[in-house]
Amino acid sequence: MSKKIVIDAGHGGDDSGATGNRIIEKDYTLKIANYIKKRFDELGIESSMTRTTDETLNPTDRVNKALSFYGNGSDIILLSNHINAGGGDGAEII
């Protein structure tokens, strides 16, 4: 059985995420998600992205969008990336 992957760029739109040293988390999570998507496409791995632009997704919308691509089966992988600051410890993929 082949896996299908949903790539979630953390934060976005009105939610900038962590900021500091001229780094805005929402911008970097989208760059990371675009890179991951490009690599999966090159490898022929089926994937979709919860956001491809700087848009606000509340938690419910984010989950609904992720589910809209492939449903909620055991063959689905969700990758949500974040860049932590403060209480976190660097990059994180959930």
Side-chain angles (χ1 to χ4, degrees), residues 8-92:
D8 176 47
H11 305 284
D14 295 336
D15 179 6
S16 65
T19 59
N21 299 319
R22 297 183 308 272
I23 294 173
I24 301 171
E25 181 175 7
K26 69 177 183 175
D27 296 339
Y28 279 84
T29 59
L30 185 56
K31 287 178 185 187
I32 291 165
N34 282 323
Y35 175 81
I36 292 170
K37 173 70 170 137
K38 179 181 172 205
R39 288 296 295 137
F40 284 154
D41 288 348
E42 291 169 353
L43 295 168
I45 298 170
E46 188 173 354
S47 64
S48 297
M49 292 175 55
T50 57
R51 69 179 183 95
T52 57
T53 62
D54 184 20
E55 66 180 291
T56 303
L57 291 173
N58 70 43
T60 300
D61 291 340
R62 192 174 298 272
V63 169
N64 288 338
K65 189 152 188 189
L67 290 170
S68 75
F69 297 115
Y70 312 113
N72 190 20
S74 62
D75 61 337
I76 311 303
I77 297 170
L78 173 68
L79 300 176
S80 181
N81 72 75
H82 294 267
I83 302 169
N84 295 320
D89 192 19
E92 173 182 49

